[in-house]
Amino acid sequence: MKTLYQKSCLKLSDFTYEEIFYLMKLSKFLKKNKHNKKEKKYIKGKNIALIFEKQSTRTRCAFEVAAYDQGAHTTYIGPNDTHIGYKESIEDSAKVLGTMYDGIQYRGYNDTILENLKKYSKIPIWNGLTDKFHPTQILADLFTIIETFPEKPLKKIHCAYVGDAQNNIANSLIEAANIINFKLNIVSPESYWPKKNFLNKKYSLYNKRKNIIYTDKIIEGVKNVDLIYTDVWVSLGESDDMWKKRIEELYPYQVNKKMLNISNNPNIKILHCLPALHNKKSLIGLQLHNKFKFNNGLEITDDIFNSNINLSFRQSENRLHTIKALLVSCLSEEKIF
Ligand code: CP
Ligand code: NVA
């Protein structure tokens, strides 16, 4: 297979099935080399701009550490640090960055900004989360699933996504299920089912293979699945005023003991991209627990979050290895496999 040299990743469907599996193989190779302290630097001297218009822990750290491990340099550009979009258009800023950098990670609101960064900078652009998509998260999730189920090909996996199914994680997961053909149940009230037309024209919400189903019934959605994936009920950039309505409508879809019993799978695993509101130990967690009289988590209960069926910290670590694979394959001409 060709390398992904000079490719951008605005959404997961920018990659083919073969390219995603190439990234999985490269992630495994790079993870092993890092753990064995035998990492070769494939992108020495490259410069990467990291534009963040929203907060981040995992994505920012994974891009920075991946770049440093591989001999590249990063510049962090926070929401209030530059003229981008305020005093200078995206077009002009992209032209400037394109003369100095080899690639740009962008986290923000609108996908049009990604398109314009790509068009005017003429260097690879990677989406580190927008309102619509979070492709680098899903790469880490797919890698985590492969590691967790070594005997089961990814195509044979059956995953349920419960909660807010109109957000970036649900959209990117639906893209993944379209490309890879694993079974995906979207489980939420009908008003939270994904909006039409966000997918690449090649794919659809209701594809012919029928590997993706949408249901508001927990029993239909989680029975006999291998994994249950959940995410916060109010995403970055959404108003805090949304919490009341979201809690009222999504509380029945909380990942808790009852839902696990309904799954009827004693080996079930849980995915969460994090951050998770599972206890009162964060400021927002404390405020929401107190305001809405919760005592054991919002989208996931604290007991389930802290149990060994929760893969979320492995997903977090794998952000590093999969983002590193993305950087290496897009910025290095060397053919590793
Ligand atoms: N999962 C994820 O993208 O985390 P951050 O918001 O911390 O980057
Ligand atoms: N849907 C969440 C994902 C966080 C990684 C958000 O956009 O805030």
Side-chain angles (χ1 to χ4, degrees):
M1 211 207 69
K2 282 194 300 181
T3 64
L4 307 183
Y5 187 57
Q6 293 300 302
K7 273 205 87 152
S8 291
C9 174
L10 308 196
K11 53 192 181 308
L12 202 68
S13 56
D14 289 342
F15 294 138
T16 62
Y17 178 91
E18 288 75 23
E19 286 171 336
I20 288 176
F21 277 90
Y22 175 78
L23 286 169
M24 297 295 109
K25 193 171 164 189
L26 186 56
S27 304
K28 185 177 175 190
F29 171 79
L30 293 167
K31 181 173 182 176
K32 187 163 157 238
N33 288 353
K34 181 169 169 93
H35 286 176
N36 293 339
K37 302 199 177 359
K38 283 191 181 147
E39 199 162 346
K40 180 180 160 192
K41 296 184 195 312
Y42 291 98
I43 51 171
K44 235 185 241 173
K46 301 283 181 187
N47 290 297
I48 298 164
L50 303 174
I51 305 175
F52 280 88
E53 296 200 49
K54 292 176 175 174
Q55 296 108 318
S56 167
T57 301
R58 280 143 288 268
T59 309
R60 174 182 175 179
C61 297
F63 267 96
E64 291 199 2
V65 175
Y68 296 144
D69 280 352
Q70 280 294 314
H73 310 281
T74 59
T75 306
Y76 172 76
I77 302 167
N80 305 313
D81 294 343
T82 66
H83 302 302
I84 300 173
Y86 299 101
K87 199 173 173 188
E88 190 171 57
S89 66
I90 300 294
E91 177 177 338
D92 291 355
S93 301
K95 284 178 183 166
V96 172
L97 296 178
T99 65
M100 298 184 192
Y101 290 94
D102 300 287
I104 301 172
Q105 181 280 164
Y106 174 80
R107 168 173 287 203
Y109 299 86
N110 191 328
D111 281 64
T112 316
I113 295 182
L114 284 168
E115 305 281 351
N116 284 326
L117 284 173
K118 184 176 167 191
K119 182 169 172 195
Y120 295 109
S121 72
K122 305 202 184 318
I123 56 175
I125 307 296
W126 308 292
N127 179 349
L129 180 150
T130 53
D131 292 348
K132 209 161 151 192
F133 292 119
H134 197 3
T136 64
Q137 176 67 49
I138 302 300
L139 287 175
D141 303 337
L142 296 176
F143 186 64
T144 306
I145 296 172
I146 292 170
E147 279 188 335
T148 310
F149 297 91
E151 309 299 332
K152 207 167 191 175
L154 199 47
K155 273 189 202 170
K156 302 265 181 226
I157 288 293
H158 193 176
C159 180
Y161 175 90
V162 300
D164 175 13
Q166 290 185 337
N167 74 13
N168 39 24
I169 294 290
N171 289 350
S172 288
L173 202 56
I174 290 169
E175 284 209 311
N178 264 290
I179 300 165
I180 294 164
N181 201 16
F182 60 83
K183 276 162 98 183
L184 177 64
N185 299 350
I186 297 291
V187 192
S188 64
E190 195 170 342
S191 55
Y192 288 84
W193 292 358
K195 296 206 173 92
K196 293 205 167 78
N197 301 333
F198 71 87
L199 285 163
N200 177 328
K201 283 201 188 73
K202 238 167 80 182
Y203 302 116
S204 67
L205 285 177
Y206 302 91
N207 63 28
K208 288 197 191 94
R209 299 186 305 248
K210 300 200 181 349
N211 61 313
I212 307 172
I213 65 150
Y214 301 85
T215 179
D216 58 358
K217 295 182 185 56
I218 312 259
I219 181 143
E220 191 185 347
V222 305
K223 190 142 188 234
N224 298 330
V225 296
D226 299 304
L227 301 128
I228 298 177
Y229 198 143
T230 194
D231 185 15
V232 287
W233 292 335
V234 173
S235 284
L236 287 163
E238 291 191 303
S239 161
D240 284 347
D241 298 342
M242 304 299 290
W243 275 111
K244 188 172 180 300
K245 183 172 173 349
R246 293 280 169 89
I247 286 175
E248 279 165 12
E249 294 174 347
L250 294 176
Y251 184 61
Y253 298 84
Q254 182 190 57
V255 177
N256 53 29
K257 271 200 192 110
K258 190 174 157 207
M259 183 180 279
L260 300 192
N261 287 337
I262 296 173
S263 83
N264 197 34
N265 175 2
N267 299 316
I268 189 121
K269 299 280 184 274
I270 303 301
L271 294 166
H272 194 309
C273 56
L274 302 183
L277 291 166
H278 61 98
N279 65 20
K280 298 183 189 179
K281 292 181 187 169
S282 65
L283 184 62
I284 303 283
L286 177 67
Q287 287 171 350
L288 290 171
H289 273 78
N290 290 347
K291 186 167 177 192
F292 295 102
K293 312 265 177 280
F294 276 73
N295 54 26
N296 190 16
L298 279 94
E299 74 276 7
I300 182 165
T301 56
D302 200 34
D303 49 326
I304 304 299
F305 186 85
N306 287 315
S307 72
N308 59 9
I309 67 168
N310 173 18
L311 301 180
S312 59
F313 293 103
R314 189 178 265 255
Q315 289 169 266
S316 291
E317 185 202 329
N318 286 335
R319 298 298 305 283
L320 170 63
H321 309 299
T322 45
I323 282 172
K324 191 182 283 176
L326 185 68
L327 296 181
V328 166
S329 56
C330 297
L331 296 182
S332 166
E333 280 185 88
E334 192 168 329
K335 199 165 183 306
I336 300 173
F337 304 116

